[in-house]
Amino acid sequence: MGTENKTGEVWRTRTVTGTEKIVLVVADHGAMAYVIHLAEEGTHTDIEVNCEGLRYGSSDRMYYVPSRSFEEYLRTVTEDQLADVKNKLAAAIGIEPQIVEKEVVREVPVEIPSNIAPAEPQKCCAAEVQELMIRAERAEALLEEYRELYKNVIEKI
């Protein structure tokens, strides 16, 4: 078996006696992984995982499995599901659950002054473009006029 991290993955394992079990990897430590057995039914079940049907695990039944026992990858649980499982495990052994802060993205309303935001932006933009074109033509005409005046002044000197 490779050395990739299996945390949050559901695997089919085989014990040394040949018993096949489906487990959720809670923490991968290389040669050994901390797991929860997922059974089709059970008692004191506080963990549910959908894998080959709904399976149940219990936070009071955690154990280590050697990495050589992992036979078949089945699926990966979501980050939220894994965080929930870890919080239940922590509570089971009397540790305060971790509070994970999530980044909150908030949209801030942008206020546009009423004299800038017209009711019909298409018409406004077209009108602005037309006005700018007229100004550019006037500026070019003035530039040409000033060039002629400059030439005349230079010739007289």
Side-chain angles (χ1 to χ4, degrees), residues 4-11 22-25 38 48-52 72-82:
E4 64 277 349
N5 188 349
K6 296 178 198 66
T7 301
E9 295 178 351
V10 179
W11 282 79
I22 294 179
V23 298
L24 168 64
V25 179
L38 299 175
E48 293 182 359
V49 175
N50 190 1
C51 182
E52 296 181 353
E72 180 185 1
Y73 165 81
L74 299 174
R75 72 174 292 244
T76 302
V77 298
T78 66
E79 287 182 30
D80 289 340
Q81 288 173 321
L82 184 60

Side-chain angles (χ1 to χ4, degrees), residues 138-156:
R138 286 182 186 163
E140 281 188 16
L142 279 173
L143 178 64
E144 196 59 35
E145 207 175 299
Y146 286 131
R147 278 190 184 143
E148 284 297 317
L149 289 172
Y150 181 75
K151 273 186 185 177
N152 292 340
V153 169
I154 294 296
E155 286 177 359
K156 288 183 182 179

